[in-house]
């Protein structure tokens, strides 16, 4: 009982929750505005992680700077995917109708390619590095600097994104596209620009998450898939295309996972995550935080 | 001779292999109400969407105030001064009335003056002001129509395209919509109206076009179409 009420556990829950929220944020933005199911989302996390690793190993560039490099790299990838593949598909109504289903297969292909390219280039040896790993104790809670940084960055990016969506006119346009694409065009939202910037932003956020993960976990070419799964679980719990709810759901998943494991054992991790997922799908398939109004 | 505000010529459109518009020609004069009437499936909505840039025409030319806009993106057309009030209203259901209106002024040309325009829309539709904090999806059909129109006005259009604004409304609301259209014309707006309510729409129209199977079958002043035996038989039930 003591451990359950300790700040230590809460801190751990917030660290993983904020990371889940961040990974899911990018997936949700891309799904919401473009209706693309990005199965390769976790592989962007992997790319971000390798970016941080190589930057610090080769050039002694610290992860805090690699955050920007990884974001730019993934944003560039987003641009390439959008300009190269999807702009044409989305512009043609016949193709746009099937884009959701097709995107799943296309991104699956992209995912396999990215993983194998990474394995070829970097081998499948797991990598890691040390950064800010001294323990800081505050109010009886022991934290490593890198976990604190991870929580700080992930939470700030999530809440920054939410504030942007709420208060910036571009964010309004983006929400309009998510809610009713055709109506957004009717009022004069620049659909092409919203889609392009969203895919770049969504990919960039995944790259940032990768840098954060790399500070505390092993880096391999195949590390991305579990993040894809977690991100899908989170956005389905929150409600597809519902950005704020997705962030909340990410934190909730972190809490459920951490406290669930503390009450049971680490072997139950998958059962907890999928149990929550299946439970939500059974009880509220539209997502737990989705408002009733959606015609 | 004045140049028309909107000129559509040789317009063809298709959904996949199915062609639905065949060389449609018509003009909209500044300050007028121009009405398109026609049965379900005649192609009214397709014409409206082509003008707004939501459907890409297969052939033909659309020019607005002398400028060729056939290839322009939909947001550039809003910015240029034309605005669609779509069939089925298409308000943003999860947003409030006020947020819907704010989004109406998202086009660069409309951004600067959006608060004056909001006051203007509230003056025209006091009901929207009473309901400003309400979720748009929870409003009645008539209120949503008002909101869709208000949202369109927020873009400061010179040409308003109204696609079946009276669809599904009670008679008293239908009357109100037509009164609003007359008011808008009186204050200098140009209106292109697609309507099933042929009688009232023709009485109001300065100019009217009858569409049949994607072609203009008849054109003339509103009064001329009202007098036409074909129109009377097929659309007015006389
Ligand atoms: N998205 C679409 N895909 C395929 N066919 C379509 C689509 N939209 C309309 N059509 C077809 O195009 C033709 C013209 O439709 P349109 O909606 O323009 O007619 P309308 O005159 O507006 O009819 P209504 O009075 O019912 O609104 C119809 O035959 C319709 O079935
Ligand atoms: Mg129609």
């Amino acid at each position: 009982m003591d451990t359950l009420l300790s700040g230590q556990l809460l801190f751990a829950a917030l660290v993983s929750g904020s990371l889940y929220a961040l990974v899911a944020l990018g997936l949700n933005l891309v799904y919401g505005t473009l209706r693309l199911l990005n199965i390769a989302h976790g592989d962007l996390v992997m790319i971000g992680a390798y970016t941080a690793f190589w930057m610090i190993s080769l050039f002694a560039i610290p992860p805090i700077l690699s955050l920007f490099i990884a974001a730019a790299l993934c944003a560039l990838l987003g641009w390439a995917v959008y300009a190269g593949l999807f702009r044409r598909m989305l512009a043609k109504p016949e193709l746009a109708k099937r884009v959701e289903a097709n995107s799943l297969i296309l991104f699956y292909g992209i995912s396999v390619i990215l993983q194998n390219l990474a394995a070829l280039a970097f081998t499948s040896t797991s990598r890691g590095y040390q950064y800010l790993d001294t323990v800081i104790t505050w109010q009886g809670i022991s934290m490593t600097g890198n976990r604190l940084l991870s929580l700080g960055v992930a939470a700030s990016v999530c809440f920054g994104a939410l504030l942007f969506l709420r208060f910036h006119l571009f964010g309004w346009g983006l929400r309009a596209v998510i809610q009713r694409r055709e109506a957004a065009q009717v009022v004069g939202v620049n659909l092409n620009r919203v889609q392009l910037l969203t895919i770049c932003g969504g990919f960039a956020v995944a790259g940032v998450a990768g840098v954060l993960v790399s500070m505390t976990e092993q880096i391999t070419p195949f590390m991305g898939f579990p993040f894809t799964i977690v991100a899908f679980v989170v956005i389905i719990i929150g409600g597809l295309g519902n950005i704020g709810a997705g962030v909340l759901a990410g934190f909730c998943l972190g809490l459920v996972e951490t406290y669930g494991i503390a009450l049971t054992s680490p072997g139950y991790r998958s059962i907890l995550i999928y149990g929550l997922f299946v439970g939500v799908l059974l009880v509220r398939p539209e997502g737990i935080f989705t408002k009733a109004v959606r015609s | 001779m004045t140049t028309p505000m909107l000129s559509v010529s040789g317009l063809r459109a298709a959904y996949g292999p199915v062609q639905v518009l065949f060389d449609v020609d018509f003009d909209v004069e500044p300050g007028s109400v121009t009405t398109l009437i026609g049965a379900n499936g005649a192609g009214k909505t397709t014409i409206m969407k082509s003008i707004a840039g939501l459907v890409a025409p297969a052939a033909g030319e659309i020019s607005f105030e002398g400028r060729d806009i056939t290839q322009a993106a939909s947001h550039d057309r809003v910015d240029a001064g034309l605005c669609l009030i779509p069939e089925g209203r298409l308000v943003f259901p999860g947003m409030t009335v006020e947020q819907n209106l704010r989004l109406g002024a998202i086009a660069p040309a409309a951004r600067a003056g959006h608060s004056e325009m909001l006051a203007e829309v509230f003056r025209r539709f006091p009901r929207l002001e009473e309901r400003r904090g309400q979720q748009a999806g929870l409003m009645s059909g008539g209120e949503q129509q008002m909101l869709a129109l208000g949202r369109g006005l927020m873009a400061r259009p010179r040409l308003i395209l109204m696609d079946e604004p009276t669809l599904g409304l009670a008679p008293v609301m239908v009357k109100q919509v037509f009164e609003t259209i007359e008011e808008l014309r009186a204050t200098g707006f140009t209106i292109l109206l697609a309507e099933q309510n042929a009688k009232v729409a023709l009485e109001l129209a300065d100019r009217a076009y009858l569409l049949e199977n994607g072609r203009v079958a008849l054109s003339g002043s509103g009064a001329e179409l009202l007098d036409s035996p074909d129109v009377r038989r097929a659309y007015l039930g006389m």
Side-chain angles (χ1 to χ4, degrees):
Chain A
M1 203 58 216
D2 276 356
T3 41
L4 279 187
L5 293 178
S6 73
Q8 195 70 49
L9 211 52
L10 182 63
F11 176 69
L14 288 177
V15 170
S16 56
S18 64
L19 207 57
Y20 294 161
L22 185 65
V23 177
L25 172 70
L27 188 70
N28 213 1
L29 281 169
V30 170
Y31 178 76
T33 49
L34 294 107
R35 301 281 140 177
L36 299 178
L37 289 166
N38 184 4
I39 289 288
H41 193 70
D43 300 302
L44 299 165
V45 175
M46 178 269 290
I47 290 174
Y50 271 110
T51 305
F53 171 75
W54 289 115
M55 285 299 147
I56 196 164
S57 316
L58 297 179
F59 311 112
I61 294 176
I64 194 147
L65 293 180
S66 296
L67 286 171
F68 298 95
I69 301 170
L73 189 67
C74 290
L76 200 68
L77 258 171
W79 174 82
V81 165
Y82 183 66
L85 287 174
F86 289 103
R87 187 183 315 207
R88 264 165 275 170
M89 286 176 75
L90 291 168
K92 285 225 182 305
E94 310 91 82
L95 284 177
K97 248 179 255 152
R98 290 197 303 263
V99 83
E100 200 169 333
N102 287 346
S103 70
L104 199 65
I105 298 165
L106 255 165
F107 275 118
Y108 179 71
I110 293 176
S111 167
V112 171
I113 291 171
L114 288 176
Q115 290 179 13
N116 285 291
L117 280 179
L120 277 177
F122 311 138
T123 75
S124 27
T125 323
S126 56
R127 317 268 187 170
Y129 60 89
Q130 287 178 344
Y131 179 65
L132 296 182
D133 52 0
T134 45
V135 176
I136 309 160
T137 306
W138 176 79
Q139 303 270 321
I141 309 171
S142 311
M143 305 169 273
T144 52
N146 48 27
R147 289 203 158 75
L148 208 53
L149 179 66
S150 176
L151 173 59
V153 171
S156 321
V157 173
C158 287
F159 292 113
L162 293 183
L163 290 178
F164 176 77
L165 287 178
R166 188 142 300 276
F167 295 111
H168 196 279
L169 205 54
F170 184 87
W172 283 60
L174 197 157
R175 284 193 292 144
V177 172
I178 292 179
Q179 207 166 94
R180 259 197 173 161
R181 185 190 194 76
E182 194 170 56
Q185 279 180 283
V186 162
V187 296
V189 172
N190 185 339
L191 190 62
N192 206 26
R193 196 171 62 175
V194 166
Q195 289 179 336
L196 177 63
L197 290 181
T198 305
I199 199 168
C200 290
F203 277 34
V205 162
V208 165
V211 174
L212 300 179
V213 171
S214 75
M215 298 189 301
T216 55
E217 278 170 44
Q218 295 293 308
I219 304 156
T220 76
F222 309 104
M223 67 187 284
F225 191 64
F227 286 101
T228 302
I229 297 296
V230 162
F232 271 99
V233 169
V234 167
I235 68 174
I236 287 167
I237 292 175
L240 281 171
N242 197 339
I243 308 299
V247 168
L248 201 58
F251 278 95
C252 284
L253 190 67
L255 288 169
V256 168
E257 183 194 10
T258 309
Y259 283 89
I261 287 175
L263 285 169
T264 57
S265 80
Y268 284 88
R269 177 177 181 269
S270 301
I271 298 177
L272 287 166
I273 291 182
Y274 292 107
L276 184 64
F277 176 61
V278 173
V280 168
L281 278 185
L282 286 176
V283 182
R284 269 189 76 99
E286 71 278 21
I288 11 181
F289 303 119
T290 318
K291 277 186 236 122
V293 195
R294 283 227 139 179
S295 72
Chain B
M1 177 151 170
T2 58
T3 47
M5 174 164 261
L6 179 80
S7 171
V8 172
S9 58
L11 182 67
R12 286 183 210 171
Y15 294 103
V18 188
Q19 190 172 350
V20 297
L21 296 180
F22 302 84
D23 299 297
V24 171
D25 297 292
F26 67 93
D27 288 340
V28 176
E29 299 299 329
S32 71
V33 170
T34 301
T35 297
L36 304 174
I37 58 168
N40 291 115
K44 305 179 294 295
T45 297
T46 307
I47 291 178
M48 292 295 200
K49 286 187 172 177
S50 305
I51 300 170
L54 303 177
V55 162
E61 196 183 292
I62 301 167
S63 63
F64 175 62
E65 296 179 332
R67 206 182 112 204
D68 181 2
I69 57 162
T70 319
Q71 302 299 330
S74 53
H75 64 269
D76 286 330
R77 302 186 197 206
V78 176
D79 213 33
L82 68 82
C83 168
L84 172 67
I85 318 299
E87 185 178 69
R89 351 246 191 250
L90 301 191
V91 297
F92 297 105
M95 298 191 189
T96 66
V97 167
E98 196 162 352
Q99 288 169 336
N100 267 271
L101 293 173
R102 179 69 192 85
L103 271 165
I106 203 166
R111 274 176 208 173
H114 79 269
S115 42
E116 295 89 78
M117 206 55 214
L118 187 68
E120 160 85 21
V121 168
F122 282 160
R123 195 185 51 68
R124 258 180 216 278
F125 305 110
R127 186 100 185 124
L128 292 182
E129 185 163 24
E130 289 162 28
R131 296 285 167 109
R132 64 199 293 173
Q134 177 164 348
Q135 296 246 315
L138 297 176
M139 298 207 300
S140 75
E143 289 167 337
Q144 290 193 18
Q145 186 60 52
M146 237 180 244
L147 178 58
L149 183 54
R151 187 182 68 182
L153 291 176
M154 291 296 294
R156 300 174 169 270
R158 291 182 294 287
L159 171 63
I160 306 175
L161 313 169
M162 296 175 92
D163 193 356
E164 308 225 16
T166 64
L167 196 73
L169 300 188
V172 50
M173 281 305 303
V174 172
K175 190 156 165 281
Q176 205 178 353
V177 167
F178 281 109
E179 280 167 13
T180 305
I181 293 172
E182 286 200 275
E183 268 169 45
L184 289 171
R185 171 171 57 187
T187 42
F189 289 94
T190 307
I191 292 159
L192 176 63
L193 171 70
E195 257 299 333
Q196 295 263 345
N197 254 309
K199 185 164 186 292
V200 199
L202 290 176
E203 281 167 3
L204 187 76
D206 298 299
R207 190 155 183 84
Y209 296 84
L210 169 65
L211 284 173
E212 276 176 358
N213 302 319
R215 294 184 172 83
V216 175
L218 199 62
S219 68
S221 68
E224 281 165 4
L225 261 70
L226 270 176
D227 282 340
S228 143
D230 287 348
V231 172
R232 292 172 73 91
R233 195 168 348 99
Y235 300 96
L236 305 176
M238 292 186 240

